[in-house]
């Protein structure tokens, strides 16, 4: 029997790039209209490295999302080689920081100030382990001699495994996983390791980026891998395992920065995120697992309550906008111009 609609607890998005200034104004409500909370990534051009900066950024986000007054941005600290453990503990204790983000230096957009070697931040990580603060990890090695399609798998052996051995109680989220290797690794490890999965990595593989002409709007980091990995991600997301949860990694870039000789990494998936995710669960005949993945596993891992509100998703096709914004802020959203089979009705 075809399910025509589902009602679930309001979801959260555990990995979002909202940017700042005019771009923040333009994109923030796409996230706020769907999600109760969102983990806000700290990789602004000047990274968010202090609680004072995070509190001010949170205020700008709250102002930009006033029309969705229940929306709650959860802030993260950007870890650098020189960040002090005390900045993290006081920021966490005062409720400004929910988590801290590890970018290996130069792994992705605005990550030049990231961590050069994990051992450099061991004092901070030990502190986080003690206070129960989650570490969010961009899990790719950056060495020139490692192929871009192997960078996540190499990170598991080179960094993630030793880290979890050294800090067995540290809560870690392996962000935006893209490989079967990561799915298997997360599944095998203890309950202190979980992973977010983006909607685009559930829907596209590397052929979608490269066959029949290069599609810059499907380029992101970690880059989509071959089909066997996509299938492993779909299986993990819909499996019912509490270790996997929703994180879009929506990452807007102006169209000129994407359609370029050296295009930026990032897919702007916020506008129809839930509708695309639910399509995956429907195709996998796992609609009954969608609420766990979208609304429950994340808060349980973070030690937060699930949201009070409900949302309805209806089987009703709609067309994705071709463009969002104007002039220098124009963005091509994920699946621009395509028809998608589900629609979100917010109660
Ligand atoms: C992100 C961005 O643009 O900030 N880009 C991306 O491709 N995902 C950074 C990131 O999460 O890697
Ligand atoms: Zn990201």
């Amino acid at each position: 029997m075809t399910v025509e609609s589902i009602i679930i607890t309001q979801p959260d998005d555990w990995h979002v790039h909202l940017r700042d200034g005019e771009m923040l104004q333009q994109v923030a409500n796409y996230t706020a209209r769907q999600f109760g909370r969102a983990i806000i990534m700290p990789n602004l051009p000047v990274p968010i490295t202090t609680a004072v900066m995070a509190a001010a950024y949170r205020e700008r986000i709250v102002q930009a999302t006033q029309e969705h007054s229940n929306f709650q941005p959860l802030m993260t600290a950007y870890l650098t080689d020189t960040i002090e453990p005390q900045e993290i503990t006081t920021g966490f204790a005062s409720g400004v920081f929910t988590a801290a983000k590890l970018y290996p230096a130069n792994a992705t957009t605005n990550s030049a100030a990231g961590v050069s070697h994990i051992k450099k931040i061991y004092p901070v990580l030990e502190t986080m382990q003690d206070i129960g603060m989650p570490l969010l990890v961009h899990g790719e090695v950056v060495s020139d001699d490692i192929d871009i399609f192997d960078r996540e798998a190499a990170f598991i052996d080179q960094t993630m495994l030793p880290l979890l051995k050294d800090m067995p109680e540290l809560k870690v989220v392996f962000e935006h996983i893209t490989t079967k290797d990561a799915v298997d690794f997360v599944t095998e490890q203890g309950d202190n390791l979980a992973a977010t999965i983006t909607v685009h990595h559930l829907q596209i593989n590397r052929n979608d980026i490269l066959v029949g002409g290069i599609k810059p709007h499907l380029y992101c980091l970690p880059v989509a891998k071959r089909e066997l990995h996509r299938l492993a991600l779909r299986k993990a997301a819909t499996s019912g395992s509490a270790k996997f949860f929703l994180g879009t990694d929506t990452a807007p870039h102006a169209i000129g920065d994407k359609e370029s000789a050296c295009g930026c990494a990032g897919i702007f998936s916020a506008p129809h995120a839930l509708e695309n995710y639910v399509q995956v669960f429907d195709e996998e005949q796992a609609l009954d697992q969608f609420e766990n993945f979208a609304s429950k596993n994340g808060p349980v891992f973070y030690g937060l309550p699930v949201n009070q509100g409900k949302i309805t998703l209806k089987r009703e096709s709609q067309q994705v906008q071709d463009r969002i914004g104007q002039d220098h802020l124009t963005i091509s959203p994920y699946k621009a111009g395509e028809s998608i089979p589900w629609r979100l009705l917010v109660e």
Side-chain angles (χ1 to χ4, degrees):
M1 203 186 73
T2 313
V3 176
E4 290 306 326
S5 68
I6 61 167
I7 299 175
I8 59 166
T9 300
Q10 183 165 41
D12 303 299
D13 187 343
W14 299 96
H15 188 131
V16 172
H17 299 269
L18 286 185
R19 314 303 190 202
D20 209 346
E22 304 177 286
M23 188 61 102
L24 167 66
Q25 302 299 327
Q26 170 162 289
V27 302
N29 284 305
Y30 290 106
T31 294
R33 70 179 275 272
Q34 297 171 76
F35 297 101
R37 293 162 290 199
I39 282 279
I40 309 302
M41 288 296 155
N43 64 328
L44 298 183
V46 178
I48 302 292
T49 52
T50 69
V52 168
M53 292 169 88
Y57 184 30
R58 179 170 66 185
E59 188 50 34
R60 296 196 293 280
I61 296 168
V62 168
Q63 290 299 324
T65 56
Q66 274 175 24
E67 60 190 90
H68 303 284
S69 56
N70 289 331
F71 174 69
Q72 205 189 340
L74 304 177
M75 309 311 289
T76 57
Y78 182 115
L79 297 174
T80 65
D81 285 352
T82 54
I83 196 160
E84 295 289 342
Q86 208 204 326
E87 188 66 42
I88 297 293
T89 43
T90 52
F92 186 64
S94 66
V96 175
F97 289 140
T98 298
K101 179 74 189 278
L102 166 62
Y103 290 102
N106 303 315
T108 187
T109 307
N110 295 336
S111 65
V115 173
S116 65
H117 194 283
I118 185 96
K119 292 252 154 122
K120 293 234 162 113
I121 57 161
Y122 262 31
V124 173
L125 299 180
E126 273 155 13
T127 306
M128 289 172 62
Q129 174 172 246
D130 290 343
I131 62 178
M133 179 175 180
L135 173 72
L136 316 182
V137 180
H138 183 110
E140 288 191 288
V141 299
V142 290
S143 351
D144 287 341
D145 57 337
I146 306 285
D147 187 275
I148 187 166
F149 292 102
D150 299 332
R151 287 181 171 198
E152 184 174 283
F155 187 88
I156 296 171
D157 294 333
Q158 288 183 23
T159 306
M160 198 61 113
L161 194 58
L163 171 66
L164 292 169
K165 279 216 174 85
D166 291 343
M167 315 256 171
E169 305 286 318
L170 182 64
K171 274 191 185 184
V172 179
V173 183
F174 199 155
E175 295 292 336
H176 43 49
I177 58 169
T178 60
T179 57
K180 180 175 188 306
D181 311 62
V183 166
D184 293 344
F185 181 73
V186 171
T187 305
E188 286 158 14
Q189 292 292 313
D191 289 345
N192 60 317
L193 180 65
T196 53
I197 306 181
T198 75
V199 72
H200 48 276
H201 291 118
L202 295 170
Q203 293 189 314
I204 64 164
N205 64 26
R206 64 195 201 178
N207 277 18
D208 293 298
I209 309 174
L210 295 170
V211 173
I214 191 161
K215 316 293 186 320
H217 297 292
L218 296 182
Y219 173 63
C220 69
L221 287 170
V223 69
K225 309 297 191 295
R226 60 170 70 236
E227 179 66 356
L228 76 88
H229 298 291
R230 186 182 76 96
L231 296 178
L233 294 169
R234 286 172 77 101
K235 207 168 156 198
T238 58
S239 67
S241 164
K243 285 173 153 271
F244 301 101
F245 44 84
L246 187 159
T248 60
D249 193 20
T250 177
H253 290 276
I255 204 162
D257 295 333
K258 296 286 294 172
E259 297 176 5
S260 152
C262 184
C264 292
I267 294 177
F268 182 53
S269 60
H272 299 283
L274 283 176
E275 292 143 338
N276 284 316
Y277 272 114
V278 78
Q279 181 186 352
V280 170
F281 278 71
D282 184 25
E283 288 162 357
E284 296 291 324
Q285 298 180 353
L287 283 174
D288 58 331
Q289 288 301 337
F290 189 53
E291 186 174 45
N292 286 330
F293 177 80
S295 316
K296 294 191 170 166
N297 297 347
V300 168
F301 184 83
Y302 273 83
L304 296 169
V306 301
N307 291 317
Q308 298 279 323
K310 301 272 182 206
I311 56 132
T312 303
L313 286 150
K314 190 167 176 230
R315 190 185 300 279
E316 184 181 300
S317 72
Q318 60 175 318
Q319 185 141 354
V320 176
Q321 320 75 311
D322 226 7
R323 294 277 182 272
I324 280 169
Q326 290 171 353
D327 306 327
H328 64 290
L329 290 178
T330 309
I331 308 171
S332 174
Y334 179 54
K335 296 203 175 181
E338 293 179 33
S339 166
I340 57 172
W342 286 80
R343 185 184 288 276
L344 171 70
L345 315 172
V346 185
E347 273 183 16

